[in-house]
């Protein structure tokens, strides 16, 4: 520890050490978020890709992951696979000079190999709030060397988010109870509790999450759904094993006695718009609010 009693020589040494530490910290921070206005980008994660495009930098994308499908033009790019099941060979084969990945990309052992390669790597944290979305934009803008464009986009997105949430406000007594169903595979309902993107956007859009006694997504019992008594079922608009048409959905024992089943009230939305928490989230809020309450989106 440095103190005045150690003398001028020790103070000078301590000052030098502190200066060196600060320099190293700054250097490490810059290494984590390299500002390179000419980097060729591999974008991993739908929100990250949307931010890159919204910043006017889509022309620099060399490749993307499977979840990145908006704007539609990015689907012409090479696809390195699903963001949570990446292979180092596939990622590095497209030859990016900068990889920007959303939180949750993996698996971890694949990221270890990718991070060890001679490619700049920036991770963008998940977000469930307006501030979190703005932070994503700042990180991507800094990594791409376009901070002014990022500031402008953040200001636009912030204004849109505030307006959308203000327009979606409703008295507590009028709020609909919404059950987000992730899948009905095998006849079992996987639903959202608290602390999820689904929970966050339901609340932003003026609804109430019908399930609040657990965090994350998990399979729920028929009794739990009966207790939740949702007014509306919310699902992603998709096909395949995780999808269920209206007849199959409302015939499920867990759902058929709920208020939602009595009214056949189900809302299906684009999953990226609903859960992506990127530049288009204000649009998702307005669309969900309109679907729940019949207002203009």
């Amino acid at each position: 520890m440095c103190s005045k009693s150690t003398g001028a020589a020790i103070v000078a040494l301590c000052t030098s050490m502190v200066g060196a530490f600060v320099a190293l910290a700054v250097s490490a921070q810059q290494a984590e978020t390299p500002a390179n206005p000419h980097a060729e980008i591999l974008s991993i994660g739908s929100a990250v890709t949307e931010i890159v495009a919204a910043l006017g930098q889509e022309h620099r994308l060399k490749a993307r992951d499977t979840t990145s499908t908006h704007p539609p033009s990015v689907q012409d790019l090479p696809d390195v696979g699903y963001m949570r099941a990446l292979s180092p060979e596939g990622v590095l084969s497209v030859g990016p000079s900068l990889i920007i990945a959303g939180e949750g990309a993996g698996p971890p052992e694949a990221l270890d190999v990718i991070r060890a390669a001679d490619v700049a790597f920036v991770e963008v944290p998940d977000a469930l709030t307006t501030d979190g979305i703005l932070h994503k934009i700042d990180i991507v803008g800094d990594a791409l060397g376009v901070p002014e464009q990022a500031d402008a986009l953040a200001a636009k997105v912030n204004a849109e988010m505030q307006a959308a949430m203000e327009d979606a406000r409703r008295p507590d007594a009028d709020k609909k109870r919404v059950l987000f169903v992730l899948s009905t595979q095998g006849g079992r309902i996987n639903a959202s509790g608290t602390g999820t993107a689904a929970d966050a956007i339901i609340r932003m859009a003026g609804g109430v999450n019908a399930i609040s006694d657990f965090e994350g997504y998990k399979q729920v019992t028929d009794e739990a759904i009966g207790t939740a008594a949702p007014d509306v079922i919310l699902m992603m608009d998709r096909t395949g094993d995780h999808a269920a048409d209206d007849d199959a959905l409302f015939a499920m024992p867990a759902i058929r006695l709920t208020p939602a089943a009595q009214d056949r009230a189900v809302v299906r939305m684009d999953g990226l718009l609903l859960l992506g928490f990127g530049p288009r989230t204000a649009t998702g809020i307005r669309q969900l609010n309109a679907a729940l309450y019949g207002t203009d989106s």
Side-chain angles (χ1 to χ4, degrees):
M1 179 181 292
C2 299
S3 68
K4 292 182 180 179
S5 62
T6 58
I10 300 300
V11 170
L13 176 60
C14 290
T15 302
S16 175
M17 291 172 62
V18 170
F21 175 80
V22 171
L24 286 171
V26 172
S27 176
Q29 184 180 29
Q30 291 173 340
E32 290 175 1
T33 54
N36 182 351
H38 306 293
E40 294 182 302
I41 309 155
L42 165 58
S43 179
I44 299 173
S46 60
V48 171
T49 302
E50 289 189 27
I51 291 170
V52 172
L55 289 171
Q57 304 300 303
E58 184 182 345
H59 62 282
R60 293 166 57 186
L61 287 170
K62 288 201 71 173
R64 47 97 188 184
D65 77 306
T66 301
T67 72
S68 298
T69 58
H70 186 87
S73 52
V74 302
Q75 297 179 45
D76 295 331
L77 294 168
D79 181 349
V80 300
Y82 179 53
M83 69 175 293
R84 301 187 194 279
L86 300 170
S87 74
E89 295 81 5
V91 167
L92 299 175
S93 68
V94 298
S97 53
L98 171 62
I99 299 171
I100 308 179
E103 182 180 342
E109 55 271 21
L111 289 191
D112 289 342
V113 175
I114 293 167
R115 287 179 183 273
D118 189 21
V119 181
F121 186 100
V122 174
E123 184 178 71
V124 180
D126 284 339
L128 298 178
T129 64
T130 300
D131 286 346
I133 296 173
L134 303 185
H135 186 49
K136 284 184 179 182
I137 293 170
D138 287 343
I139 291 174
V140 175
D142 285 345
L144 299 182
V146 290
E148 292 183 359
Q149 290 94 318
D151 288 345
L153 178 60
K156 176 176 178 290
V157 168
N158 185 44
E160 291 172 345
M161 288 289 292
Q162 299 304 326
M165 288 188 290
E166 180 61 32
D167 291 345
R169 289 183 186 276
R170 303 185 72 83
D172 288 346
D174 294 342
K175 292 181 178 179
K176 291 190 177 180
R177 297 177 59 79
V178 182
L179 175 67
F180 177 80
V181 175
L182 182 64
S183 74
T184 58
Q185 193 171 17
R188 294 183 291 272
I189 294 176
N190 192 316
S192 168
T194 62
T196 66
D199 173 70
I201 200 162
I202 286 169
R203 289 184 286 104
M204 288 177 172
V208 174
N209 188 350
I211 293 182
S212 60
D213 56 353
F214 65 83
E215 292 187 359
Y217 299 94
K218 74 174 189 179
Q219 288 183 5
V220 290
T221 64
D222 293 2
E223 293 77 12
I225 291 178
T227 300
D231 299 304
V232 179
I233 307 297
L234 175 62
M235 302 181 73
M236 289 185 281
D237 186 7
R238 60 184 179 181
T239 58
D241 293 339
H242 296 284
D245 63 27
D246 290 3
D247 289 339
L249 177 68
F250 292 123
M252 296 184 72
I255 291 178
R256 66 187 177 192
L257 298 180
T258 64
Q262 294 172 19
D263 296 331
R264 292 182 68 85
V266 59
V267 174
R268 301 175 190 273
M269 286 181 59
D270 175 1
L272 299 185
L273 185 63
L274 186 68
L275 307 178
F277 277 77
R280 298 188 298 150
T281 296
T283 299
I285 292 170
R286 290 189 180 279
Q287 287 190 12
L288 179 55
N289 177 263
L292 292 177
Y293 301 107
T295 56
D296 293 333
S297 60

